[in-house]
Amino acid sequence: MQVEGKDILFDKDGFMTEPSLWNEIVAKSIAKEEGIEEMTEEHWKVVNFIRNYWKENNLAPAVRLVCQEAGIGVRQLYKLFTSGPARGACRVAGLPKPDGCV
Amino acid sequence: MKRFKVDFKKLLLAEQVFKDILNKNGSSHLNACVRCGLCGQSCHIYLAEPVVQNLPVSKAQQVSALFRRYHTLSGKLFPLLVGAKEFSEESLNELAESVFERCTGCGRCSINCSIGVDVASIVRMGRNILASIEEIPSELHDTTQNQLQTGNQMSITEQELNDTALWIADDLRMETGVEEIKIPVDQVGAKILYLVNPREVKFFPLSLSAAAAIFASAKESWTIASRFFDVTNYGFFSGDNKSAAIITNNIFEEAKKLQVQEIVLSECGHGFRAFRWEGANWLERKYPIPVRSVLELILEYIKDERITLDKSKNNIKVTLHDPCNLVRWGGVISPQREILAAAVMDFVEMIPNREQNFCCGGGGGMLAISECGERRIKSGKIKADQIRNTKAKIVATPCHNCADQLLELNKKYALGIEIQSISELVFNALKWITK
């Protein structure tokens, strides 16, 4: 993927290998792959919270925090990101792949 | 996985572990293959990518060639003639590629071998050897370390576990109007210690939520633990039996502390196999209390009428994916089918099924290994086709690892399905809860 003249590289799971190159344009491009044509305000609330939490803690946040911060229910979160919080929302937020069964 | 260097010390270690894990049974399997190659037809990875390296026999050969070099007369005297190989940087790197990146350990080759060789267990010995020299894919290594250091594979803190339990229970009470629902944490003297996949806590809580409703409905005495709540065992995936034993032991220590009478495992394929069947061998002792799958418990509730179901609430066509570690390796074959018969209106089997079912493509730790991303999707096409042929719109599967792979297959092959755990479907059909 090329964004603003820069090559954005992904691992074979589609997660960014260089998370520092993330920006909103990159997020929109990944979102398109996820079938999200238009990033709504709710999408951004989720993505920005995940992004900031990760920067501070070097970990993806638990779904409880994501839902409470974005003010949405868990079923609504799955509707926003059909691949779920890990392979969907965390990927759009430019995080590396979380550990474990995801 | 990246190419690794091997020094003399590691070569000695690898050779030693080979001796340690060998027994008469293993030795005969290692030396019995007649190279008919029929195992290819049983392997989803070979079928998707029919190259010789993907034949189950080729993967097992990486291990048996090493065995022959050190443990047979002909291999010691004429290694080249009998295809025996020495432990070397080259042979160990080839071994790693074969056993971690070309095999999910699903065991379909083992039950279809023309002469009964347990091919998958031979491949597993390869993982044991590599774990002994600490050359395993970094994702499996890191996840195992998370389990050893924090008690769970996703490093969820005790505080987060507690907060999440409260949050799920609150939501559930609101959704159902049933005040009795709660998720007890660290409750000493509860009858059951319920282990969950950290994925349920961190990303997909609906299965834990469903289990809590089912337990409330059955008036069960249960608890989860805030530190050792994890049903998974990445030591097992890694072939690292020492870590696997520690992870198993931690759970039994927790069970002792909480004075529970039984351990019940949430819907997790490898977790079931590891805790129910492999753990006692790693610990080299008999378990002090029984261990069973939540599927067996839910079926008991239905039979004893501790819960009643109205299956008309689930009127969309459902099919079932059999997780290899739970079904082919674990022997839990009929409970999920009996439960679905009571919980859904329209059930259809995918073909083949039960112990002949195909792996989802994400088993054996492969879901966690990024390097295998493409192969996972490619070899999952068989599963995608199986699902499409059923015309079902919901795929039930009692395994979180499978569920994640199925989510991806759904996206990549545009299946238009929903993936649910058995508990979720049961919760949906629960009769006394007014929704």
Side-chain angles (χ1 to χ4, degrees), chain B residues 82-336:
Chain B
V82 294
K85 282 200 294 193
E86 278 188 6
F87 279 109
S88 66
E89 188 166 308
E90 196 57 38
S91 67
L92 284 165
N93 272 283
E94 279 173 15
L95 178 68
E97 204 233 344
S98 274
V99 302
F100 282 115
E101 295 179 10
R102 294 184 185 273
C103 178
T104 58
C106 81
R108 201 165 183 272
C109 51
S110 294
I111 61 163
N112 287 298
C113 171
S114 59
I115 58 162
V117 171
D118 187 356
V119 189
S121 294
I122 295 177
V123 172
R124 188 166 165 72
M125 282 183 196
R127 291 195 181 197
N128 292 144
I129 291 169
L130 291 158
S132 74
I133 58 167
E134 295 176 3
E135 294 299 348
I136 58 175
S138 59
E139 295 92 341
L140 297 186
H141 171 267
D142 293 352
T143 310
T144 308
Q145 289 307 311
N146 287 349
Q147 281 202 280
L148 294 174
Q149 283 159 20
T150 71
N152 72 85
Q153 54 150 285
M154 294 185 183
S155 301
I156 297 163
T157 61
E158 293 174 41
Q159 181 67 45
E160 185 52 59
L161 190 278
N162 273 291
D163 290 348
T164 297
L166 287 173
W167 171 67
I168 295 175
D170 272 350
D171 268 13
L172 199 51
R173 277 193 298 270
M174 264 200 317
E175 186 184 339
T176 60
V178 178
E179 279 308 307
E180 296 81 8
I181 291 177
K182 51 182 185 239
I183 299 185
V185 180
D186 295 333
Q187 197 164 84
V188 178
K191 189 169 158 250
I192 285 170
L193 172 62
Y194 186 55
L195 302 184
V196 299
N197 189 317
R199 182 180 179 276
E200 298 178 76
V201 179
K202 188 141 181 173
F203 299 119
F204 291 88
L206 293 180
S207 48
L208 174 53
S209 168
I214 296 167
F215 288 146
S217 191
K219 300 188 171 46
E220 187 58 86
S221 157
W222 68 295
T223 187
I224 51 177
S226 60
R227 181 150 169 88
F228 296 110
F229 62 84
D230 186 351
V231 73
T232 70
N233 192 327
Y234 268 65
F236 168 68
F237 278 155
S238 308
D240 175 0
N241 290 358
K242 277 184 199 148
S243 297
I246 295 170
I247 292 165
T248 309
N249 192 52
N250 285 342
I251 298 290
F252 281 100
E253 288 300 315
E254 188 71 35
K256 200 160 113 190
K257 217 166 76 190
L258 294 170
Q259 299 166 31
V260 298
Q261 296 162 35
E262 186 179 15
I263 294 174
V264 172
L265 313 173
S266 85
E267 300 177 43
C268 176
H270 88 275
F272 179 82
R273 177 177 165 195
F275 271 110
R276 180 63 188 86
W277 298 119
E278 309 283 350
N281 295 328
W282 296 324
L283 297 177
E284 296 177 339
R285 62 179 150 87
K286 208 179 152 206
Y287 286 165
I289 52 173
V291 173
R292 63 174 158 163
S293 161
V294 71
L295 299 176
E296 296 165 288
L297 184 61
I298 292 174
L299 181 61
E300 188 181 288
Y301 291 158
I302 296 172
K303 284 184 173 165
D304 295 350
E305 295 177 0
R306 284 178 71 180
I307 59 172
T308 34
L309 304 179
D310 172 7
K311 61 173 161 180
S312 71
K313 289 180 181 175
N314 286 319
N315 54 15
I316 299 171
K317 193 192 273 268
V318 175
T319 189
L320 174 69
H321 165 67
D322 287 303
C324 309
N325 278 316
L326 180 77
V327 175
R328 189 159 34 242
W329 289 100
V332 178
I333 301 172
S334 69
Q336 56 272 48

Side-chain angles (χ1 to χ4, degrees), chain A residues 11-13 34 60-65 67-68 74-75 78 82-87 97 99-102, chain B residues 143 146 153 160 163-164 167 175 199 201-206 234 367-368 370-371 373 376 401 404 407-408 411:
Chain A
D11 69 14
K12 288 188 178 166
D13 264 324
E34 283 294 313
V63 64
R64 173 190 71 87
L65 285 166
C67 286
Q68 287 179 342
V74 68
R75 286 190 178 85
Y78 297 155
T82 50
S83 306
R87 285 185 189 269
K97 186 177 175 298
D99 287 337
C101 295
V102 286
Chain B
T143 310
N146 287 349
Q153 54 150 285
E160 185 52 59
D163 290 348
T164 297
W167 171 67
E175 186 184 339
R199 182 180 179 276
V201 179
K202 188 141 181 173
F203 299 119
F204 291 88
L206 293 180
Y234 268 65
L367 185 80
S370 294
E371 194 59 31
R376 245 183 338 99
N401 196 85
D404 226 83
L407 265 176
E408 270 209 276
K411 191 165 66 180

Side-chain angles (χ1 to χ4, degrees), chain A residues 29-85:
Chain A
S29 310
I30 305 175
K32 278 232 163 70
E33 291 176 3
E34 283 294 313
I36 303 164
E37 283 308 316
E38 187 71 46
M39 286 282 286
T40 63
E41 197 184 324
E42 273 186 338
H43 285 108
W44 282 121
K45 261 195 206 166
V46 170
V47 165
N48 287 330
F49 172 70
I50 291 178
R51 181 80 194 170
N52 291 331
Y53 184 95
W54 173 75
K55 273 203 263 180
E56 276 172 34
N57 302 284
N58 198 26
L59 260 184
V63 64
R64 173 190 71 87
L65 285 166
V66 177
C67 286
Q68 287 179 342
E69 288 294 325
I72 55 174
V74 68
R75 286 190 178 85
Q76 175 65 6
L77 179 64
Y78 297 155
K79 273 191 196 132
L80 291 173
F81 297 92
T82 50
S83 306

